[in-house]
């Protein structure tokens, strides 16, 4: 029989609750420590640690059970906590070892493979193609079977690339279909920049151990083997519903939001709309989040409880509260599955499951241990969830709401509908204030920005989206006509959000803060919302200030910092002096929907505390050098733009412009800048863009850097003859940006001998399709003892004049990051000699 009422609840002993909370904390701490490891322990070490930790835990439990003296019990509890932390470390390492073993063999990278398998996810449709998870049944190379990961992340693009015809995905590409696909795969590899998105972590967490693209070619065409009926039914249903929403709703922006809320397809929301949602602090509402799943569980439980009470036979079988709780959990899990079973939804289902289980067992745990138990369930399910901002935002929000609830307020029950309505209004305002203020420090920590209009926007958006739009979007699954009124509500909300996002100062941006400022800000946020005496709460603002406006480390006078961003195949170099910023090139445009400016440079600049660009130099018009410029010109004030762009080029209108010309020079904060190429009058539309590249020499008191764009051998020789004839040391610099990404057209011996750099930086894509940098060029650098730092192995490079370069891929190394293997199978940490 189930529970019959409150009398059968069995209050757990305080000591047992405390021990359970300590065990949960220890496990989470051990898992967090394991996630900090740059490399994994081997299998023998992991098994040895697990065995020792298990033995220690059992011994501590036995000792605590037999001990009578409190001091002995406390020692046993501490030993148990340490053992559980070690066991968590070992088990997470074991899971990571198994996942790491699924990696694509280096010898198969970029090989022409044929994969047979099924589309295992809702395809993400974009302007240039589609992305989807592919479950591999078999793989062949030249008709011979080979081993590849069981799940891979594929793109199916439109266009022409080398010898392949990228015709784009089939019009009827659907989840569950079985295909034979000609592909090229690579090990997971993404850009690695300070405070940037870690694509390799995302792929690791999703269990995707290779990525690649479909490449049809003569003799190897994509072939659909069956329609997939009966396979991946949930994903297929999601796709059917998404397509139905877009057919029913004429406005694509509103349809995208409804598809995101109903089936979790966040890619259906347009990029510009995401920008507005982030600026107004409502982005968490526009995808399946914990709030949506929790509200759905609550509504489902209420309906099930009400219906259950209508049947005396059901009441005799199980009590209505028990049925309501478990029914709400089951339907919430079903909703999470329909929404794609994303990590936020998994976290929320795990939290609800823990609460339901504890209540069903009759254990009246305080809110703190309940939260810890829910967090433990999430970490057991997905240890790498600890690295996701959503994990901390979810649990901290709930903890603050529990902690900020005054006892008297929680116990008071207003009488009458007016008092209840007023209490509900006050509660909603208070909840929103607690969430806005209390989570602001975490938002600044994770995203370096916080919406100043978020409080107002969420006051409207939360009830509208959770109580009207989302229920209508879900009800439309059964009655599609309801999607239209839901779309009208989305359109009205969108108009309000666009208005709020357009306010001056709608978003506060802050630089990435040091650890002490983060700790101060987190404490300030807690003091601001907890029910404490006002003399303590008054400390919140001064404690928050270091996080709102953190100190920004800048070079001393006469010094400069150079950051070569990891942007793939292209160039983007930041040069920072004490009070100024120069950006040399802006990286490539990845697709019609994304470029290096928005994806890499803008977040990097904001994390560094840069609110404007004093000088944007675009070396020449090639798209891998100017692809991100339009985004930057729109997002940040640019005081000066110089380039070799031809008259009439649209980018020249983005800021005050002057052509690059040899002889131009200026000094910022004791650092001298000098343009060396092209010579005056050389900018002609008919000229080769590479030949017109702006070449910039930056010279501080303790070293210099030469930025060369894509100049080729003829320009290098002319530059050397013109400069060195007057002063043999005119081109000397400690750091050289390798011309043309290491192409065989550049890096002549004459230039290298004239510059005599200690380090040479290559900005090129991983396994560049152009072969950059080519071996013969690397040989020239190696023969002169020049260290070559490659962005595909180094990640972003940071160099302070007079110091040593720092590779982000080395300094921030974690075991899920690419090991640095390159053609030929050798491994390097980022530096070639």
């Amino acid at each position: 029989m189930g529970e019959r009422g409150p009398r059968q609840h069995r209050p757990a002993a305080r000591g047992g609750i405390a021990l359970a909370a300590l065990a949960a904390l220890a496990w989470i701490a051990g898992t967090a420590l394991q996630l900090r490891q740059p490399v994994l322990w081997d299998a023998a070490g992991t098994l040895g640690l697990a065995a020792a930790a298990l033995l220690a835990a059992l011994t501590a439990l036995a000792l605590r059970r037999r001990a009578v003296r409190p001091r002995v019990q406390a020692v046993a509890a501490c030993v148990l906590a340490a053992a559980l932390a070690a066991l968590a470390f070992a088990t997470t390492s074991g899971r990571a070892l198994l996942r790491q073993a699924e990696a694509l063999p280096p010898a198969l990278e970029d090989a022409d493979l044929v994969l047979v398998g099924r589309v295992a996810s809702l395809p993400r449709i974009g302007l240039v193609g589609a992305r989807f998870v592919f479950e591999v049944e078999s793989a062949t190379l030249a008709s011979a079977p080979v081993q590849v990961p069981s799940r891979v992340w594929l793109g199916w693009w439109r266009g022409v690339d080398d010898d392949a015809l990228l015709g784009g995905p089939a019009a009827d590409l659907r989840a569950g279909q079985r295909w034979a696909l000609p592909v090229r795969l690579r090990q997971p590899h993404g850009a690695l920049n300070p405070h940037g998105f870690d694509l390799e972590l995302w792929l690791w967490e999703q269990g995707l151990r290779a990525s690649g693209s479909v490449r049809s070619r003569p003799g190897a065409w994509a072939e659909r083997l069956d329609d997939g009926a009966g396979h991946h039914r949930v994903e297929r249903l999601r796709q059917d519903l998404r397509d139905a929403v877009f057919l029913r709703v004429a406005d694509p922006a509103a349809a995208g939001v409804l598809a995101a809320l109903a089936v979790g397809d966040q890619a259906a929301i347009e990029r510009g709309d995401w920008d507005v949602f982030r600026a107004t602090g409502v982005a968490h509402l526009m995808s399946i989040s914990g709030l949506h799943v929790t509200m759905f569980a609550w509504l489902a439980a209420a309906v099930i409880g009400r219906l259950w009470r209508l049947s005396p036979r059901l009441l005799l079988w199980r009590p209505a509260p028990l049925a309501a709780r478990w029914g709400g959990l089951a339907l919430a899990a079903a909703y999470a599955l329909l929404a794609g079973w994303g990590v936020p939804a998994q976290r929320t289902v795990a939290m609800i499951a823990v609460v339901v289980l504890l209540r069903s067992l009759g254990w009246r745990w305080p809110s703190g241990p309940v939260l810890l138990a829910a967090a433990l369930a999430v970490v057991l399910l997905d240890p790498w969830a600890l690295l996701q901002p959503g994990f901390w935002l979810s649990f901290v929000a709930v903890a603050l709401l529990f902690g900020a609830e005054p006892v008297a307020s929680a116990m008071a029950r207003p009488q009458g509908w007016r008092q209840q309505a007023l209490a509900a209004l006050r509660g909603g305002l208070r909840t929103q204030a607690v969430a806005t203020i209390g989570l602001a420090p975490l938002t600044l920590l994770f995203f370096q920005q916080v919406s100043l209009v978020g409080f107002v926007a969420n006051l409207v958006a939360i009830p509208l989206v959770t109580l009207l739009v989302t229920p209508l979007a879900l009800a439309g699954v059964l009655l599609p006509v309801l999607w239209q009124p839901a779309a009208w509500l989305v359109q009205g909300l969108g108009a309000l959000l666009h208005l709020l996002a357009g306010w001056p100062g709608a978003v506060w941006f802050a630089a990435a803060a040091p650890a002490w400022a983060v700790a101060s800000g987190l404490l300030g946020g807690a003091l601001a919302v907890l029910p404490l005496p006002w003399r303590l709460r008054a400390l919140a603002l001064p404690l928050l200030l270091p996080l709102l406006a953190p100190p920004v480390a800048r070079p001393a006078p006469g010094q400069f910092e150079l950051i070569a961003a990891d942007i793939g195949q292209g160039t983007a170099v930041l040069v920072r002096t004490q009070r100024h910023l120069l950006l040399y090139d802006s990286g490539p445009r990845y697709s019609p929907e994304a470029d290096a400016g928005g994806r890499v440079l803008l977040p990097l600049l904001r994390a560094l505390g840069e609110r404007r660009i004093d000088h944007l130099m675009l070396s020449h018009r090639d798209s891998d050098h100017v692809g991100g410029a339009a985004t930057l010109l729109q997002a940040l004030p640019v005081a000066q733009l110089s380039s070799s762009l031809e008259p009439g080029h649209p980018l020249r209108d983005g800021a005050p412009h002057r052509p690059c010309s040899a002889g131009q020079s200026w000094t910022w904060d004791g650092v001298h800048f000098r343009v060396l190429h092209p010579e005056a009058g050389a900018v002609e539309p008919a000229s080769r863009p590479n030949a017109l590249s702006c070449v910039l020499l930056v010279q501080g008191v303790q070293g210099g850097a030469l930025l060369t764009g894509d100049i080729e051998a003829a320009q290098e020789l002319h530059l050397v003859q013109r400069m060195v004839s007057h002063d043999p040391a005119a081109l000397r610099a400690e750091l050289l940006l390798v011309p043309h990404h290491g192409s065989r057209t550049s890096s002549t011996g004459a230039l290298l001998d004239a510059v005599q750099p200690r380090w040479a930086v290559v900005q090129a894509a991983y396994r560049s399709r152009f072969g950059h940098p080519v071996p013969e060029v690397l040989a020239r650098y190696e023969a002169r003892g020049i260290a070559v730092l490659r962005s595909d192995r180094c990640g972003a490079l940071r160099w302070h004049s007079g110091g040593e370069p720092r590779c982000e891929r080395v300094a921030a190394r974690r075991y899920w990051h690419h090991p640095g293997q390159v053609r030929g199978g050798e491994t390097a940490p980022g530096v070639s000699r």
Side-chain angles (χ1 to χ4, degrees), residues 68-448:
V68 177
R69 298 173 60 185
R71 181 174 296 180
V72 176
Q73 291 182 338
V75 170
C78 292
V79 173
L80 176 63
L84 288 176
L87 187 60
F89 186 103
T91 55
T92 305
S93 294
R95 293 173 66 175
L97 283 170
L98 293 175
R99 186 161 294 185
Q100 193 176 68
E102 298 176 359
L104 179 74
L108 294 181
E109 288 193 283
D110 284 336
D112 289 317
L113 307 174
V114 175
L115 305 184
V116 175
R118 294 191 181 275
V119 178
S121 70
L122 175 72
R124 297 184 181 182
I125 307 299
L127 295 177
V128 294
R131 278 195 174 277
F132 53 93
V133 176
F134 194 69
E135 284 187 352
V136 180
E137 299 173 2
S138 64
T140 56
L141 172 61
S143 301
V146 292
Q147 289 294 320
V148 301
S150 59
R151 286 164 50 87
V152 297
W153 181 237
L154 291 183
W156 199 342
W157 313 119
R158 300 180 181 90
V160 178
D161 182 22
D162 297 338
D163 60 341
L165 300 174
L166 307 183
D172 58 346
L173 180 68
R174 308 194 68 75
Q177 289 176 342
R178 189 167 182 259
W179 285 82
L181 297 176
V183 304
R184 286 184 183 174
L185 297 179
R186 293 180 177 180
Q187 293 183 344
H189 191 286
L192 203 58
N193 293 282
H195 315 291
F197 175 68
D198 191 344
L199 175 63
E200 293 169 42
L201 172 61
W202 182 84
L203 291 170
W204 174 276
E205 190 175 14
Q206 302 297 318
L208 301 169
R209 302 299 296 132
S211 62
S213 59
V214 179
R215 301 173 61 86
S216 295
R217 57 192 182 277
W221 302 99
E223 179 184 3
R224 192 176 70 187
L225 303 179
D226 69 47
D227 190 52
H231 295 273
H232 295 285
R233 294 179 179 177
V234 173
E235 295 299 311
R236 202 173 179 88
L237 174 61
R238 295 178 66 216
Q239 187 169 359
D240 290 340
L241 292 174
R242 181 190 66 183
D243 295 346
V245 169
F246 275 91
L247 285 174
R248 174 74 63 164
V249 178
D251 180 8
V257 172
L258 295 181
L261 293 174
V263 299
D265 184 16
Q266 298 182 37
I269 298 179
E270 299 175 358
R271 177 183 174 185
D273 289 334
W274 274 123
D275 293 338
V276 171
F277 297 153
R278 294 188 187 100
T280 53
V282 302
H284 63 104
L285 294 173
M286 302 305 168
S287 58
I288 304 302
S289 66
L291 178 63
H292 297 97
V293 178
T294 302
M295 288 295 298
F296 185 83
W298 178 78
L299 289 172
V303 171
I304 291 173
R306 178 66 60 90
L307 295 176
W308 200 271
R309 290 182 177 90
L310 298 178
S311 171
R313 180 174 297 179
L314 290 176
L315 287 173
L316 290 174
W317 181 54
R318 288 290 186 272
L322 181 68
R325 284 196 288 269
W326 285 100
L329 171 62
L331 290 179
Y335 176 37
L337 282 172
L338 181 64
W341 196 239
V343 173
Q346 294 178 30
R347 285 196 298 266
T348 306
V349 171
M351 290 174 62
I352 297 172
V354 168
V355 173
V356 168
L357 180 62
L358 292 175
R359 292 293 303 273
S360 299
L361 293 174
W363 293 358
R364 294 184 175 181
W365 283 20
S367 57
V370 170
L371 271 180
L372 279 174
L376 176 62
V378 173
V379 171
L380 289 172
L381 182 69
D382 177 15
W384 300 279
L386 282 172
L387 299 170
Q388 301 300 328
F391 176 91
W392 299 100
L393 291 169
S394 299
F395 282 102
V396 170
V398 176
L400 287 175
L401 291 173
F402 279 142
E405 178 73 28
V407 176
S409 173
M411 297 179 63
R413 294 185 178 181
Q415 302 295 325
W417 68 268
R418 291 184 179 178
Q419 288 77 9
Q420 291 177 357
L422 287 174
L425 178 61
R426 286 194 297 267
L429 290 172
R430 182 186 150 279
T431 297
Q432 187 55 44
V434 168
T436 300
I437 298 172
L439 293 181
L442 277 179
T443 304
L444 285 169
L445 171 62
F446 292 128
F447 308 113
Q448 287 82 53

Side-chain angles (χ1 to χ4, degrees), residues 639-651:
Q640 178 70 55
L641 170 65
S642 63
S643 74
S644 63
L645 300 175
E646 67 275 10
H649 195 290
L651 288 176

Side-chain angles (χ1 to χ4, degrees), residues 532-546:
L532 298 171
W534 279 105
R535 63 180 179 274
L536 290 178
R537 300 180 76 174
L539 297 173
L541 182 58
L543 287 171
L544 281 168
L545 285 178

Side-chain angles (χ1 to χ4, degrees), residues 450-702:
V450 64
S451 174
L452 299 183
V453 298
F455 180 81
V456 175
N458 278 283
L459 280 179
V460 177
I462 287 178
L464 187 67
V465 173
T466 57
L467 299 180
L468 291 175
V469 176
T470 302
L472 286 173
L474 292 174
V477 173
L478 301 176
L479 194 61
V481 70
L482 296 177
W483 282 329
Q484 189 55 59
W488 292 333
L489 293 174
V490 170
Q491 289 170 336
L493 177 62
L496 173 63
L497 295 179
H498 276 81
L499 178 65
L500 293 175
W503 286 5
V507 182
W508 178 265
F509 296 101
W516 68 267
V518 171
S520 174
L522 293 176
L523 178 59
L527 290 179
V529 299
L530 293 178
L532 298 171
W534 279 105
R535 63 180 179 274
L536 290 178
R537 300 180 76 174
L539 297 173
L541 182 58
L543 287 171
L544 281 168
L545 285 178
L547 189 58
L548 289 168
V552 177
R554 295 190 179 276
Q559 305 284 345
F560 67 92
E561 179 188 23
L562 182 146
I563 303 176
D566 186 4
I567 41 81
Q569 186 72 30
T571 297
V573 178
L574 286 68
V575 181
R576 306 171 73 213
T577 67
Q578 189 177 48
R579 294 188 299 272
H580 294 85
L581 167 70
L582 178 140
L583 177 60
Y584 182 86
D585 284 339
S586 60
R589 186 170 184 82
Y590 303 120
S591 72
E593 303 160 305
D595 57 61
R599 185 176 290 179
V600 177
L601 297 177
L602 195 56
L604 176 58
L605 290 170
R606 286 171 173 165
L608 293 172
E610 300 292 351
R611 295 177 177 268
R612 57 174 271 155
I613 299 173
D614 295 290
H615 195 139
L616 173 59
M617 180 174 287
L618 302 176
S619 64
H620 61 296
R621 69 175 183 233
D622 283 359
S623 62
D624 58 332
H625 293 254
V626 302
T631 298
L632 294 173
L633 288 166
Q634 183 178 8
L636 292 175
V638 176
Q640 178 70 55
L641 170 65
S642 63
S643 74
S644 63
L645 300 175
E646 67 275 10
H649 195 290
L651 288 176
R652 290 177 55 138
D653 299 328
H657 178 270
R658 68 175 181 180
C660 290
S661 180
Q664 295 171 348
S665 65
W666 65 94
T667 301
W668 286 343
D669 311 316
V671 178
H672 188 64
F673 295 77
R674 185 181 180 188
V675 178
L676 305 182
H677 185 79
E679 294 184 85
V683 179
E684 300 176 3
S687 302
R688 282 174 52 83
N690 289 355
L692 299 176
S693 293
C694 304
V695 177
L696 180 68
L697 178 64
V698 185
Q699 196 70 48
V701 296
Q702 289 185 313

